[in-house]
């Protein structure tokens, strides 16, 4: 089995979502050959975008404010819309054992 790269892209206003992201990262790291990276969607660098582009899986996390995702997460979603429209992060776009829906 080859190595698997997972990115946890999240925003945490008061630290609660960061605690969940840490638990997810710890669980993923417990699997041999899994490399986990965490990125804060409120302050993404070019390197963070490259990590997500190269990842085998991306896990998203956001707190809810007034019944919806945080503003920082909404801004991230809009910034990633071109990738979504072109299915750049879809498993059908890369050599993956999991077929796209």
């Amino acid at each position: 089995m080859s190595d698997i790269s997972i990115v946890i892209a999240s925003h945490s206003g008061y630290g609660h979502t960061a605690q969940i992201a840490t638990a997810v990262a710890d669980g993923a790291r417990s699997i041999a050959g899994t490399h986990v990276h965490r990125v804060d969607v409120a302050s993404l660098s070019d390197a963070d975008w490259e990590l997500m582009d190269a990842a085998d899986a991306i896990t998203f996390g956001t707190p809810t404010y007034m019944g919806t995702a945080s503003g920082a997460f909404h801004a991230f979603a809009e910034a990633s819309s071109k990738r979504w429209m072109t299915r750049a992060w879809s498993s059908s776009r890369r050599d993956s054992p999991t077929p796209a829906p």
Side-chain angles (χ1 to χ4, degrees), residues 3-101:
D3 288 353
I4 296 173
S5 172
I6 298 173
V7 174
I8 300 171
S10 63
H11 172 250
S12 187
Y14 296 100
H16 301 99
T17 304
Q19 289 179 339
I20 303 251
T22 297
V24 170
D26 290 347
R29 285 188 187 109
S30 72
I31 300 169
T34 303
H35 304 281
V36 180
H37 306 276
R38 292 194 39 204
V39 298
D40 180 355
V41 300
S43 58
L44 290 171
S45 67
D46 288 341
D48 293 333
W49 286 105
E50 290 171 12
L51 277 174
M52 287 187 284
D53 290 343
D56 295 301
I58 305 171
T59 300
F60 302 108
T62 180
T64 54
Y65 298 132
M66 300 178 67
T68 190
S70 67
F73 195 85
H74 279 283
F76 161 72
E78 288 182 27
S80 66
S81 64
K82 184 174 181 182
R83 286 171 168 86
W84 180 84
M85 288 188 307
T86 62
R87 296 188 59 143
W89 292 340
S90 171
S91 62
S92 66
R93 305 266 309 179
R94 62 184 90 210
D95 185 21
S96 173
T98 306

